[in-house]
Amino acid sequence: MKFAEILVTGKVQGVWFRDFVKKNAVVLHLNGWAKNNPDRTVGVAVEGEEEIINRLIEKIKIGSPLSKVQDVKVKWQPFENKFNSFKIII
């Protein structure tokens, strides 16, 4: 089990990107959150099996239909079991 902090840059706010991330995370049974950052990036925190998190990362790189993902940075951390669902933070 792993914890990943993901930072997504590009046209990722106002294009249903966080909802896209949440739907994919729920389907993959991953827990965590997605939020808009003041600098127009989207931050994602996610916990689960590393292989499954990597599947989510591949989906994030593609993005929602209206988004244009420029870059995805991932910072791996030890698993902390902090989350019991996946939420969109406002």
Side-chain angles (χ1 to χ4, degrees):
M1 299 290 273
K2 289 277 193 170
F3 171 74
E5 293 178 19
I6 304 165
L7 184 65
V8 188
T9 59
K11 183 180 175 187
V12 291
Q13 289 192 16
V15 291
W16 297 96
F17 188 79
R18 290 176 301 159
D19 188 62
F20 167 82
V21 173
K22 179 181 178 181
K23 286 178 182 174
N24 280 282
V26 168
V27 167
L28 293 169
H29 305 286
L30 295 171
N31 296 325
W33 50 258
K35 71 174 183 171
N36 286 340
N37 294 321
D39 64 358
R40 309 287 300 155
T41 62
V42 169
V44 179
V46 64
E47 288 184 328
E49 295 288 338
E50 184 173 359
E51 178 183 325
I52 307 300
I53 293 173
N54 279 321
R55 286 192 215 165
L56 178 64
I57 292 167
E58 290 307 310
K59 298 272 189 189
I60 287 172
K61 287 178 180 177
I62 295 166
S64 64
L66 298 174
S67 69
K68 289 190 172 135
V69 175
Q70 289 180 339
D71 192 31
V72 178
K73 291 187 171 117
V74 182
K75 186 174 168 185
W76 293 97
Q77 305 282 341
F79 178 71
E80 296 182 19
N81 198 27
K82 296 196 301 190
F83 310 110
N84 58 14
S85 65
F86 197 96
K87 298 179 181 176
I88 294 174
I89 297 176
I90 297 177

